[in-house]
Amino acid sequence: MYGNDFAGEDAPGGLLGEVEAAEAELRTAAERDRGAPGPEEDLAAYFTAVVDADQKIEPRDWMPEAYRRTLIRQIAQHAHSEIIGMQPEGNWISRAPSLKRKAILLAKVQDEAGHGLYLYAAAETLGISRDELVELLLSGRQKYSSIFNYPTLTWADVGAIGWLVDGAAIVNQVPLCRCSYGPYARAMIRVCKEESFHQRQGYEILHTLAHGTSAQRAMAQDALDRWWYPSLAMFGPPDGDSTHSAQSMAWKIKRFSNDDLRQRFVDMCVGQAEVLGLTIPDPDLRWNEQRQAYDFTQPDYAELMRVISGDGPCNRERMAHRRRAHEAGAWVREAAAAYAAKQASKEKVPT
Amino acid sequence: MNGPFAFTLALGDDALIAAQRLAEWTTRAPEMEEDIALANIALDQLGAARLLLSYAGELEGAGRDEDALAYLRDDREFRNCLLVELPNGDFAVTMAKLLLLSAYQLPLYTALSRCADERLAAIGGKARKESAYHLDHAALWVKRLGEGTPESHRRMQAGIEEVWPYVGELFAGWPQAPVDPATLRADFDEVVSAVLAEATLTVPESAWAPAGGRDGLHTEHLSYLLAEMQVLHRAHPGARW
């Protein structure tokens, strides 16, 4: 699938191109001497100057408490999404229809656990521990992406998740490669590169199904029908209702509005769906010459709110599964800690 | 069945069924690092299975590829050892199984890497490096659990007791095979008894030595495993994925 189907995406200015550019900017920013606040200097003014100059805030820097809290919330929820997001796809590992697909899917779900680890590590630079964050997830006080509360009912859903869900995640995350907080920006660069690979693999699954038997083709269309609107909802509520946007934009944590990113995603998907020969389930989807963008039907935001508040199809199951694994593993973690303590005390004893 | 085909198929089936069981841990491991490690080991096993099954298909010469062999045989035609099809149990049972499996696969693949058949030698050379990692990982956990808390010690000993009887089958003589597993037993015993001693665990004694996997006579567990693994492939005969 490399090349043709994603023409435009790898081109300069395409999504991967943007990741590379952000990476180059990070390197340049790291080499520039941005000075240090003098003892007399106002820390808040220095923080603002660093952000305004597109330099990176690093863990040792002073930062407004609200900036720290916003980042902890956003990075943690992102990490939780990677961990919970392993479940819907993990659901098909045992039944993957060929050994090659099984290997690819297993590797993908493993990558997601790795992304969760990078992101928890990035959040820890803000002064909170992974254990505390996991506790916030398990107690329901922090959220994860609404999309993972939808069930994977057929094999084609694995393809649709790769294409649409990972696609939406990339559109959301590419701008975060330029986010003002250095550790998050660096984590996003690594994550985006791997996600982009996953998206191609998902697209390839759907492409194979869409060009397979009539039953496979129907399976692919059904998956697109079910995942389209939940994927559009991943960009969050419309701009008018988004509570965190203005401040996050000013701090350069967020760089584009929810609606701008959603539009970009729709514009990207239309051509890709045509190559698949599948129909996006929106009768009002059409090119708007004046806006140079597609008009489309918005997702049902009342449904999004229901899912976020815990009443989606799989919320209970996803959380119960995570809690069960955590509880069932407690004795193993205790054993590892006890063993490490014994080894440490053995090393201290002079021989 | 001819010697090299049956042998290659048996090794491929061991790796395939081990991969399927290990992959069941995904999203269920005691910590995130372990989720990654178990998926990693499952992927290695699956990789070895694909190489072995593809080669077995060529040796057989009946046009069966890795997927035909994995998805279109019934449990009476599978040739894996019983150890790999046993349910995962708790984490201690899984680590006990992994310790025994990797302590068997490491000398097996090492010997294979020196056998006359070039394809098998190449597969053995690759897989042996992975087995060494699996063995390290399992040994580390067996020691952590054996020497961890009283509860983990109890569970680890129970885990070893539960799977130990299935070791006998691994080393049954197979003189006409490219590597006779009977020649590997001493190596296995040395490695495993050292790990168990360090973990303050005792080597079980068992007169009961179930076998039959190499003849397609399995436990009741395998049929369920295959039903799940094969369901989608079998529902769409001839489809490409």
Side-chain angles (χ1 to χ4, degrees), chain A residues 86 93-103 106-107 109-110 113-114 117 120 130 134 155 208-209 215-216 219 321-322 325 329 331-335 338-339 342 346, chain B residues 16 20 23 26-28 30-33 36 40 42-43 46 50 66-67 70-71 90-92 141 143-145 147-149 151-152 155 228-229 232-233 236 239-241:
Chain A
M86 295 166 70
I93 293 172
S94 66
R95 293 171 292 167
S98 74
L99 297 186
K100 180 182 156 200
R101 290 291 177 209
K102 188 191 291 286
L106 193 48
V109 176
Q110 186 191 20
L117 284 182
Y120 282 120
R130 185 169 107 188
V134 167
W155 170 251
T208 308
L209 294 175
Q216 286 177 306
M219 196 192 280
H321 182 101
R322 191 86 289 275
W331 70 273
V332 177
R333 295 190 298 275
E334 283 159 21
Y339 178 79
K342 280 181 198 172
K346 272 185 206 165
Chain B
L16 177 62
Q20 186 77 1
T26 306
T27 76
R28 291 179 174 85
E31 52 190 37
M32 288 170 218
E33 287 81 355
I36 295 178
N40 210 341
L43 264 175
L46 185 55
R50 294 181 63 192
E66 60 177 32
D67 286 337
Y71 290 97
D90 67 6
F91 188 70
W141 272 113
K143 288 182 221 167
R144 279 176 174 162
L145 297 180
E147 254 205 286
T149 62
E151 186 189 7
S152 70
R155 287 191 190 232
E228 184 174 345
M229 185 172 88
L232 179 58
H233 188 98
H236 297 264
R240 281 182 52 251
W241 299 97

Coordinates of all heavy atoms in Angstrom, one line a residue, chain A residues 86 93-103 106-107 109-110 113-114 117 120 130 134 155 208-209 215-216 219 321-322 325 329 331-335 338-339 342 346, chain B residues 16 20 23 26-28 30-33 36 40 42-43 46 50 66-67 70-71 90-92 141 143-145 147-149 151-152 155 228-229 232-233 236 239-241:
Chain A
M86 N -6.1 -1.0 23.3 CA -5.6 -2.3 23.0 C -6.8 -3.3 23.0 O -6.7 -4.3 22.3 CB -4.6 -2.8 24.0 CG -3.3 -1.9 24.0 SD -2.3 -2.3 25.4 CE -1.7 -3.9 25.1
I93 N -7.2 -10.8 17.8 CA -5.9 -11.4 17.6 C -6.1 -12.9 17.5 O -5.5 -13.6 16.6 CB -4.9 -11.1 18.8 CG1 -4.5 -9.6 18.8 CG2 -3.6 -12.0 18.7 CD1 -3.7 -9.2 20.0
S94 N -6.8 -13.5 18.4 CA -7.0 -15.0 18.4 C -7.7 -15.5 17.1 O -7.5 -16.7 16.7 CB -7.7 -15.5 19.6 OG -9.0 -15.0 19.6
R95 N -8.5 -14.6 16.4 CA -9.3 -15.1 15.3 C -8.8 -14.5 14.0 O -9.5 -14.6 13.0 CB -10.7 -14.7 15.5 CG -11.4 -15.5 16.7 CD -12.8 -14.9 17.0 NE -12.7 -13.6 17.6 CZ -13.7 -12.8 17.7 NH1 -14.9 -13.1 17.3 NH2 -13.5 -11.6 18.2
A96 N -7.7 -13.8 14.0 CA -7.2 -13.2 12.7 C -7.2 -14.2 11.6 O -6.8 -15.3 11.9 CB -5.8 -12.6 12.9
P97 N -7.6 -13.8 10.4 CA -7.9 -14.9 9.4 C -6.6 -15.4 8.6 O -6.8 -16.3 7.9 CB -8.8 -14.1 8.4 CG -8.4 -12.7 8.6 CD -8.0 -12.5 10.0
S98 N -5.5 -14.8 8.8 CA -4.3 -15.4 8.3 C -3.1 -15.2 9.3 O -3.2 -14.3 10.1 CB -3.9 -14.8 6.9 OG -3.4 -13.5 7.1
L99 N -2.1 -16.0 9.1 CA -1.0 -15.9 10.1 C -0.3 -14.5 9.9 O 0.2 -13.9 10.9 CB 0.0 -17.0 10.0 CG -0.6 -18.4 10.3 CD1 0.6 -19.5 10.3 CD2 -1.3 -18.5 11.6
K100 N -0.2 -14.1 8.7 CA 0.4 -12.7 8.5 C -0.4 -11.6 9.2 O 0.2 -10.8 9.8 CB 0.5 -12.5 7.0 CG 1.1 -11.2 6.6 CD 1.1 -10.9 5.1 CE 1.1 -9.4 4.8 NZ 0.7 -9.1 3.4
R101 N -1.7 -11.7 9.0 CA -2.6 -10.6 9.6 C -2.5 -10.8 11.2 O -2.5 -9.8 11.9 CB -4.0 -10.8 9.2 CG -4.3 -10.5 7.8 CD -4.1 -9.0 7.5 NE -4.3 -8.6 6.1 CZ -3.7 -7.6 5.5 NH1 -2.9 -6.8 6.2 NH2 -3.9 -7.3 4.3
K102 N -2.4 -12.0 11.7 CA -2.3 -12.2 13.1 C -1.0 -11.5 13.6 O -1.0 -10.8 14.6 CB -2.3 -13.7 13.4 CG -2.4 -13.9 15.0 CD -2.1 -15.4 15.3 CE -3.2 -16.3 14.8 NZ -4.4 -16.3 15.6
A103 N 0.1 -11.7 12.9 CA 1.4 -11.2 13.3 C 1.3 -9.6 13.3 O 1.8 -8.9 14.2 CB 2.5 -11.7 12.4
L106 N -0.9 -8.3 16.2 CA -0.2 -8.5 17.5 C 0.9 -7.4 17.6 O 1.0 -6.8 18.7 CB 0.4 -9.9 17.5 CG 0.9 -10.5 18.8 CD1 -0.1 -10.4 19.9 CD2 1.2 -12.0 18.5
A107 N 1.6 -7.2 16.6 CA 2.7 -6.1 16.6 C 2.0 -4.8 16.9 O 2.6 -3.9 17.6 CB 3.5 -6.1 15.4
V109 N -0.9 -4.0 18.4 CA -1.4 -3.9 19.8 C -0.2 -3.7 20.7 O -0.3 -3.0 21.7 CB -2.3 -5.1 20.1 CG1 -2.8 -5.0 21.6 CG2 -3.5 -5.1 19.2
Q110 N 0.9 -4.4 20.4 CA 2.1 -4.2 21.2 C 2.6 -2.8 21.1 O 3.0 -2.2 22.2 CB 3.2 -5.2 20.7 CG 4.4 -5.3 21.6 CD 5.5 -6.0 20.9 OE1 5.5 -6.2 19.7 NE2 6.5 -6.5 21.7
A113 N 0.7 -0.5 23.5 CA 1.2 -0.6 24.9 C 2.5 0.3 25.0 O 2.6 1.0 26.0 CB 1.5 -2.0 25.3
G114 N 3.3 0.2 24.0 CA 4.5 1.0 24.0 C 4.2 2.5 24.0 O 4.8 3.3 24.7
L117 N 3.2 3.6 27.4 CA 4.4 3.7 28.2 C 5.1 5.1 28.0 O 5.5 5.8 28.9 CB 5.4 2.6 28.1 CG 5.0 1.3 28.7 CD1 6.1 0.2 28.5 CD2 4.8 1.4 30.2
Y120 N 2.9 7.8 29.5 CA 2.9 7.9 31.0 C 4.2 8.5 31.4 O 4.3 9.3 32.4 CB 2.7 6.5 31.6 CG 1.3 6.1 31.6 CD1 0.9 4.9 30.9 CD2 0.3 6.8 32.3 CE1 -0.5 4.5 30.9 CE2 -1.0 6.4 32.3 CZ -1.4 5.2 31.6 OH -2.7 4.8 31.6
R130 N 3.0 7.2 37.5 CA 2.2 6.4 36.7 C 1.2 5.7 37.5 O 0.0 5.5 37.1 CB 3.1 5.4 36.0 CG 2.3 4.5 35.0 CD 3.3 3.7 34.1 NE 3.3 2.3 34.5 CZ 4.2 1.4 34.0 NH1 5.1 1.8 33.2 NH2 4.1 0.2 34.4
V134 N -2.8 5.6 36.8 CA -3.5 4.4 36.6 C -4.7 4.3 37.5 O -5.8 4.0 37.2 CB -2.6 3.2 36.7 CG1 -3.4 1.9 36.8 CG2 -1.6 3.1 35.6
W155 N -14.1 -8.8 11.5 CA -12.7 -8.6 11.2 C -12.5 -7.3 10.5 O -11.5 -6.6 10.7 CB -12.1 -9.8 10.3 CG -10.8 -9.5 9.8 CD1 -10.5 -9.2 8.5 CD2 -9.5 -9.4 10.5 NE1 -9.1 -9.0 8.3 CE2 -8.5 -9.1 9.5 CE3 -9.2 -9.6 11.8 CZ2 -7.2 -8.9 9.9 CZ3 -7.9 -9.4 12.2 CH2 -6.9 -9.1 11.2
T208 N -8.1 -5.0 0.8 CA -8.2 -6.4 0.4 C -9.6 -6.9 0.5 O -10.1 -7.6 -0.3 CB -7.3 -7.2 1.4 OG1 -6.0 -6.6 1.3 CG2 -7.2 -8.7 0.9
L209 N -10.3 -6.5 1.6 CA -11.7 -7.0 1.8 C -12.6 -6.4 0.7 O -13.4 -7.1 0.1 CB -12.2 -6.6 3.2 CG -11.6 -7.2 4.4 CD1 -12.1 -6.6 5.7 CD2 -11.8 -8.7 4.3
A215 N -19.1 -11.3 0.2 CA -19.3 -11.2 1.7 C -18.2 -10.4 2.4 O -18.5 -9.6 3.3 CB -19.2 -12.7 2.3
Q216 N -17.0 -10.4 1.9 CA -15.9 -9.6 2.4 C -16.2 -8.1 2.2 O -16.0 -7.2 3.0 CB -14.6 -10.0 1.8 CG -14.0 -11.3 2.4 CD -12.7 -11.7 1.7 OE1 -12.6 -11.7 0.5 NE2 -11.7 -11.9 2.5
M219 N -18.8 -6.9 4.4 CA -18.2 -6.7 5.8 C -17.4 -5.4 5.9 O -17.5 -4.7 6.9 CB -17.2 -7.9 6.0 CG -16.8 -8.2 7.4 SD -15.4 -9.3 7.5 CE -16.2 -10.9 7.2
H321 N -12.7 -4.9 32.3 CA -11.6 -5.7 31.8 C -10.3 -5.2 32.4 O -9.4 -6.0 32.9 CB -11.6 -5.7 30.3 CG -10.5 -6.5 29.7 ND1 -10.7 -7.7 29.1 CD2 -9.2 -6.3 29.5 CE1 -9.6 -8.2 28.6 NE2 -8.6 -7.4 28.9
R322 N -10.1 -3.9 32.3 CA -8.8 -3.3 32.8 C -8.7 -3.5 34.4 O -7.6 -3.8 34.9 CB -8.8 -1.8 32.5 CG -7.5 -1.1 32.7 CD -6.5 -1.2 31.6 NE -6.0 -2.5 31.3 CZ -4.9 -3.0 31.9 NH1 -4.2 -2.3 32.8 NH2 -4.4 -4.2 31.6
A325 N -7.8 -7.1 35.1 CA -6.3 -7.4 34.8 C -5.5 -6.9 35.9 O -4.5 -7.5 36.4 CB -5.9 -6.9 33.4
G329 N -3.4 -9.1 38.6 CA -1.9 -9.1 38.6 C -1.3 -8.5 39.8 O 0.0 -8.5 39.9
W331 N -0.8 -9.7 42.8 CA 0.1 -10.6 43.5 C 1.5 -10.7 42.8 O 2.5 -10.8 43.4 CB -0.5 -11.9 43.8 CG -0.7 -12.8 42.5 CD1 -1.7 -12.8 41.7 CD2 0.3 -13.7 42.0 NE1 -1.5 -13.6 40.7 CE2 -0.3 -14.2 40.8 CE3 1.5 -14.2 42.4 CZ2 0.3 -15.2 40.0 CZ3 2.2 -15.1 41.6 CH2 1.6 -15.6 40.4
V332 N 1.4 -10.5 41.5 CA 2.7 -10.6 40.7 C 3.5 -9.3 40.9 O 4.7 -9.4 41.1 CB 2.3 -10.7 39.2 CG1 3.6 -10.7 38.3 CG2 1.5 -12.0 38.9
R333 N 2.8 -8.2 40.9 CA 3.6 -6.9 41.2 C 4.2 -6.9 42.6 O 5.3 -6.5 42.8 CB 2.7 -5.7 40.9 CG 2.2 -5.6 39.4 CD 1.5 -4.3 39.2 NE 0.3 -4.1 39.9 CZ -0.9 -4.5 39.6 NH1 -1.0 -5.2 38.5 NH2 -1.9 -4.3 40.4
E334 N 3.4 -7.4 43.5 CA 3.9 -7.5 44.9 C 5.1 -8.4 45.0 O 6.1 -8.1 45.7 CB 2.8 -8.0 45.9 CG 1.7 -7.0 46.2 CD 0.4 -7.6 46.7 OE1 0.4 -8.7 47.2 OE2 -0.6 -6.9 46.6
A335 N 5.0 -9.5 44.3 CA 6.2 -10.5 44.3 C 7.4 -9.8 43.7 O 8.5 -9.9 44.2 CB 5.8 -11.7 43.5
A338 N 8.8 -7.4 46.2 CA 9.4 -8.1 47.3 C 10.8 -8.7 46.9 O 11.8 -8.6 47.6 CB 8.5 -9.2 47.8
Y339 N 10.8 -9.2 45.7 CA 12.1 -9.8 45.2 C 13.1 -8.7 45.0 O 14.3 -8.9 45.4 CB 11.8 -10.5 43.8 CG 13.0 -11.1 43.2 CD1 13.5 -12.3 43.6 CD2 13.6 -10.5 42.1 CE1 14.6 -12.9 43.0 CE2 14.7 -11.1 41.5 CZ 15.2 -12.3 42.0 OH 16.3 -12.8 41.4
K342 N 14.5 -7.7 48.3 CA 15.5 -8.8 48.8 C 16.8 -8.7 48.1 O 17.9 -8.8 48.7 CB 14.9 -10.2 48.6 CG 13.9 -10.6 49.6 CD 13.4 -12.0 49.4 CE 12.0 -12.2 50.1 NZ 11.4 -13.5 49.8
K346 N 20.4 -7.8 49.8 CA 21.6 -8.7 49.6 C 22.8 -8.0 49.2 O 23.9 -8.2 49.6 CB 21.3 -9.8 48.6 CG 20.5 -11.0 49.2 CD 20.4 -12.1 48.1 CE 19.2 -13.0 48.4 NZ 18.8 -13.8 47.2
Chain B
L16 N 3.2 -22.4 16.9 CA 1.9 -21.8 16.6 C 1.0 -21.8 17.8 O 0.4 -20.8 18.1 CB 1.3 -22.5 15.4 CG -0.1 -22.0 15.0 CD1 -0.1 -20.5 14.6 CD2 -0.7 -22.9 13.9
Q20 N -0.5 -18.7 20.1 CA -1.9 -18.5 20.3 C -2.2 -18.3 21.8 O -2.9 -17.4 22.2 CB -2.7 -19.6 19.7 CG -4.2 -19.5 19.7 CD -4.7 -18.5 18.6 OE1 -3.9 -18.0 17.8 NE2 -6.0 -18.3 18.6
A23 N -0.6 -15.0 23.1 CA -1.3 -13.8 22.7 C -2.6 -13.6 23.5 O -3.1 -12.5 23.5 CB -1.6 -13.9 21.2
T26 N -2.6 -10.7 25.9 CA -2.6 -9.3 25.5 C -3.8 -8.6 26.2 O -4.9 -9.0 26.1 CB -2.8 -9.2 23.9 OG1 -1.7 -10.0 23.4 CG2 -2.6 -7.8 23.5
T27 N -3.5 -7.4 26.8 CA -4.4 -6.6 27.6 C -4.7 -7.2 29.0 O -5.5 -6.6 29.7 CB -5.8 -6.3 26.9 OG1 -6.6 -7.4 27.0 CG2 -5.6 -5.8 25.5
R28 N -4.1 -8.3 29.3 CA -4.4 -9.0 30.6 C -3.2 -9.1 31.5 O -3.4 -9.7 32.6 CB -5.0 -10.4 30.3 CG -6.4 -10.3 29.7 CD -6.9 -11.8 29.5 NE -8.3 -11.7 29.0 CZ -8.6 -11.6 27.7 NH1 -7.7 -11.4 26.8 NH2 -9.9 -11.5 27.3
P30 N 0.0 -8.6 34.1 CA 0.0 -7.9 35.4 C 0.6 -6.5 35.4 O 0.3 -5.7 36.2 CB 1.0 -8.8 36.3 CG 1.1 -10.0 35.5 CD 0.8 -9.8 34.1
E31 N 1.4 -6.2 34.4 CA 1.9 -4.8 34.2 C 2.1 -4.5 32.7 O 2.2 -5.4 31.9 CB 3.1 -4.5 35.1 CG 4.2 -5.5 34.9 CD 5.4 -5.3 35.9 OE1 5.1 -5.0 37.1 OE2 6.5 -5.5 35.5
M32 N 2.2 -3.2 32.4 CA 2.3 -2.8 31.0 C 3.5 -3.4 30.3 O 3.5 -3.9 29.2 CB 2.3 -1.3 30.8 CG 1.0 -0.7 31.1 SD 1.2 1.1 31.2 CE 0.0 1.4 32.6
E33 N 4.6 -3.4 31.0 CA 5.9 -3.9 30.5 C 5.7 -5.4 30.1 O 6.3 -5.9 29.1 CB 7.0 -3.7 31.5 CG 7.5 -2.3 31.7 CD 6.7 -1.5 32.6 OE1 5.6 -2.0 33.1 OE2 7.0 -0.3 32.9
I36 N 3.8 -6.0 26.9 CA 4.7 -5.9 25.8 C 5.5 -7.1 25.6 O 5.7 -7.7 24.5 CB 5.5 -4.6 25.9 CG1 4.6 -3.4 25.9 CG2 6.6 -4.6 24.8 CD1 5.4 -2.1 26.0
N40 N 5.6 -9.8 22.6 CA 6.8 -9.9 21.9 C 7.2 -11.4 21.7 O 7.6 -11.9 20.6 CB 7.9 -9.2 22.8 CG 9.0 -8.7 21.9 OD1 9.2 -9.1 20.8 ND2 9.8 -7.8 22.5
A42 N 5.1 -13.9 21.9 CA 4.1 -14.5 21.1 C 4.5 -14.3 19.6 O 4.3 -15.2 18.7 CB 2.7 -14.0 21.4
L43 N 4.9 -13.1 19.3 CA 5.3 -12.7 17.9 C 6.5 -13.6 17.4 O 6.5 -14.0 16.3 CB 5.7 -11.3 17.8 CG 4.6 -10.3 17.4 CD1 5.1 -8.9 17.5 CD2 4.2 -10.5 16.0
L46 N 5.2 -17.0 16.7 CA 4.4 -17.0 15.5 C 5.3 -16.9 14.3 O 5.1 -17.5 13.2 CB 3.4 -15.8 15.5 CG 2.4 -15.6 14.4 CD1 1.6 -16.9 14.2 CD2 1.5 -14.4 14.7
R50 N 5.5 -19.6 11.3 CA 5.3 -19.4 9.9 C 6.4 -19.9 9.0 O 6.1 -20.5 8.0 CB 5.1 -17.9 9.7 CG 3.9 -17.3 10.3 CD 3.7 -15.8 10.1 NE 3.6 -15.6 8.7 CZ 3.6 -14.3 8.1 NH1 3.9 -13.3 8.9 NH2 3.4 -14.2 6.8
E66 N 1.3 -22.0 4.7 CA 1.2 -21.8 6.2 C -0.2 -21.7 6.6 O -0.6 -22.3 7.7 CB 2.1 -20.6 6.6 CG 1.6 -19.3 6.0 CD 2.4 -18.1 6.5 OE1 3.6 -18.2 6.8 OE2 1.8 -17.0 6.6
D67 N -1.0 -21.0 5.8 CA -2.4 -20.8 6.3 C -3.2 -22.1 6.1 O -4.1 -22.4 6.9 CB -3.0 -19.6 5.5 CG -2.5 -18.3 6.0 OD1 -2.1 -18.2 7.2 OD2 -2.6 -17.3 5.3
A70 N -2.3 -24.1 9.1 CA -2.8 -23.6 10.4 C -4.3 -23.6 10.5 O -4.8 -23.9 11.6 CB -2.3 -22.1 10.5
Y71 N -5.0 -23.3 9.4 CA -6.4 -23.1 9.5 C -7.3 -24.2 9.0 O -8.5 -24.2 9.3 CB -6.8 -21.8 8.7 CG -6.3 -20.5 9.4 CD1 -5.1 -19.9 8.9 CD2 -7.0 -19.9 10.4 CE1 -4.6 -18.8 9.5 CE2 -6.5 -18.8 11.0 CZ -5.3 -18.2 10.6 OH -4.9 -17.1 11.2
D90 N -2.9 -19.1 35.8 CA -2.5 -17.7 36.3 C -1.1 -17.4 35.8 O -0.5 -18.2 35.0 CB -2.5 -17.7 37.9 CG -1.5 -18.6 38.5 OD1 -0.7 -19.2 37.9 OD2 -1.6 -18.7 39.8
F91 N -0.5 -16.3 36.2 CA 0.8 -15.9 35.6 C 1.9 -16.9 35.9 O 2.8 -17.1 35.1 CB 1.1 -14.5 36.1 CG 2.3 -13.8 35.5 CD1 2.2 -13.4 34.1 CD2 3.5 -13.7 36.2 CE1 3.3 -12.8 33.5 CE2 4.6 -13.1 35.5 CZ 4.5 -12.7 34.2
A92 N 1.8 -17.5 37.1 CA 2.8 -18.5 37.4 C 2.7 -19.7 36.5 O 3.8 -20.2 36.1 CB 2.6 -18.9 38.9
W141 N 11.3 -14.4 35.8 CA 10.0 -14.3 36.5 C 9.8 -15.5 37.5 O 9.3 -15.4 38.6 CB 8.8 -14.3 35.5 CG 8.5 -12.9 35.2 CD1 8.6 -12.3 33.9 CD2 7.9 -11.9 36.0 NE1 8.2 -11.0 34.0 CE2 7.7 -10.7 35.3 CE3 7.5 -11.9 37.4 CZ2 7.2 -9.5 35.8 CZ3 7.0 -10.7 37.9 CH2 6.8 -9.5 37.1
K143 N 12.2 -16.9 39.1 CA 12.9 -16.5 40.3 C 12.2 -15.4 41.1 O 12.1 -15.5 42.4 CB 14.3 -16.0 39.9 CG 15.3 -17.1 39.4 CD 16.6 -16.5 39.1 CE 17.1 -17.1 37.8 NZ 18.3 -16.3 37.3
R144 N 11.7 -14.4 40.5 CA 11.0 -13.3 41.2 C 9.8 -13.9 41.9 O 9.5 -13.5 43.1 CB 10.4 -12.3 40.2 CG 11.4 -11.3 39.7 CD 10.7 -10.4 38.7 NE 11.6 -9.3 38.3 CZ 11.3 -8.6 37.1 NH1 10.3 -9.0 36.3 NH2 12.1 -7.6 36.8
L145 N 9.1 -14.8 41.3 CA 7.9 -15.3 41.9 C 8.3 -16.3 43.0 O 7.7 -16.4 44.1 CB 6.9 -16.0 40.9 CG 6.3 -15.0 39.9 CD1 5.4 -15.8 38.9 CD2 5.6 -13.9 40.5
E147 N 10.9 -16.4 44.8 CA 11.6 -15.8 45.9 C 10.9 -14.5 46.3 O 11.4 -13.7 47.1 CB 13.0 -15.5 45.6 CG 14.0 -16.3 46.3 CD 15.4 -15.6 46.4 OE1 16.1 -15.5 45.4 OE2 15.7 -15.2 47.5
G148 N 9.7 -14.3 45.8 CA 9.0 -13.0 46.1 C 8.3 -13.0 47.4 O 8.9 -12.9 48.4
T149 N 6.9 -13.2 47.4 CA 6.2 -13.3 48.6 C 5.8 -14.8 48.9 O 5.9 -15.6 48.0 CB 4.9 -12.5 48.4 OG1 4.1 -13.1 47.4 CG2 5.1 -11.0 48.1
E151 N 2.9 -16.0 49.0 CA 1.8 -16.3 48.0 C 2.4 -16.6 46.6 O 2.0 -17.6 46.0 CB 0.8 -15.2 47.9 CG -0.4 -15.7 47.0 CD -1.4 -14.6 46.6 OE1 -1.2 -13.5 46.9 OE2 -2.4 -15.0 46.0
S152 N 3.3 -15.8 46.2 CA 3.9 -16.0 44.8 C 4.7 -17.3 44.8 O 4.7 -18.0 43.8 CB 4.7 -14.8 44.4 OG 5.9 -14.7 45.1
R155 N 2.3 -20.2 44.5 CA 1.7 -20.3 43.2 C 2.7 -20.7 42.2 O 2.4 -21.5 41.3 CB 1.2 -18.9 42.8 CG -0.1 -18.4 43.4 CD -0.6 -17.2 42.7 NE -1.6 -16.5 43.3 CZ -2.8 -16.1 42.6 NH1 -3.0 -16.5 41.4 NH2 -3.7 -15.4 43.2
E228 N -11.6 -21.4 17.8 CA -11.5 -19.9 17.9 C -10.5 -19.4 16.8 O -10.8 -18.5 16.1 CB -11.0 -19.5 19.3 CG -11.0 -18.0 19.5 CD -10.6 -17.6 20.9 OE1 -10.7 -18.5 21.8 OE2 -10.3 -16.5 21.1
M229 N -9.4 -20.1 16.7 CA -8.4 -19.6 15.8 C -8.8 -19.7 14.3 O -8.5 -18.8 13.5 CB -7.1 -20.5 16.0 CG -5.9 -20.0 15.1 SD -4.4 -20.9 15.6 CE -4.6 -22.3 14.5
L232 N -12.9 -17.7 11.5 CA -13.2 -16.7 10.4 C -12.6 -17.3 9.1 O -13.3 -17.2 8.0 CB -12.5 -15.4 10.8 CG -12.6 -14.3 9.8 CD1 -14.1 -13.9 9.5 CD2 -11.8 -13.1 10.3
H233 N -11.4 -17.8 9.1 CA -10.9 -18.4 7.9 C -11.8 -19.4 7.3 O -12.0 -19.5 6.1 CB -9.5 -19.0 8.2 CG -8.7 -19.4 7.0 ND1 -7.7 -18.6 6.5 CD2 -8.8 -20.5 6.3 CE1 -7.2 -19.2 5.4 NE2 -7.8 -20.4 5.3
H236 N -15.0 -18.4 5.3 CA -14.9 -17.8 4.0 C -14.0 -18.6 3.1 O -12.9 -18.2 2.9 CB -14.4 -16.4 4.1 CG -15.3 -15.5 4.9 ND1 -16.3 -14.6 4.3 CD2 -15.5 -15.3 6.2 CE1 -16.9 -14.0 5.2 NE2 -16.5 -14.3 6.4
A239 N -11.2 -17.4 0.4 CA -11.0 -15.9 0.4 C -9.6 -15.5 0.7 O -8.8 -16.3 1.3 CB -11.9 -15.3 1.5
R240 N -9.2 -14.3 0.2 CA -7.8 -13.8 0.5 C -8.0 -12.7 1.6 O -9.0 -12.0 1.7 CB -7.2 -13.1 -0.7 CG -6.6 -14.1 -1.7 CD -6.0 -13.4 -2.9 NE -5.1 -12.3 -2.5 CZ -5.3 -11.0 -2.6 NH1 -6.4 -10.6 -3.1 NH2 -4.4 -10.1 -2.1
W241 N -7.0 -12.6 2.4 CA -7.1 -11.6 3.6 C -6.1 -10.6 3.6 O -5.9 -9.8 4.5 CB -7.1 -12.4 4.9 CG -8.3 -13.4 4.9 CD1 -8.2 -14.7 4.6 CD2 -9.6 -13.1 5.3 NE1 -9.5 -15.2 4.8 CE2 -10.3 -14.3 5.2 CE3 -10.3 -11.9 5.7 CZ2 -11.7 -14.3 5.4 CZ3 -11.6 -12.0 5.9 CH2 -12.3 -13.2 5.8

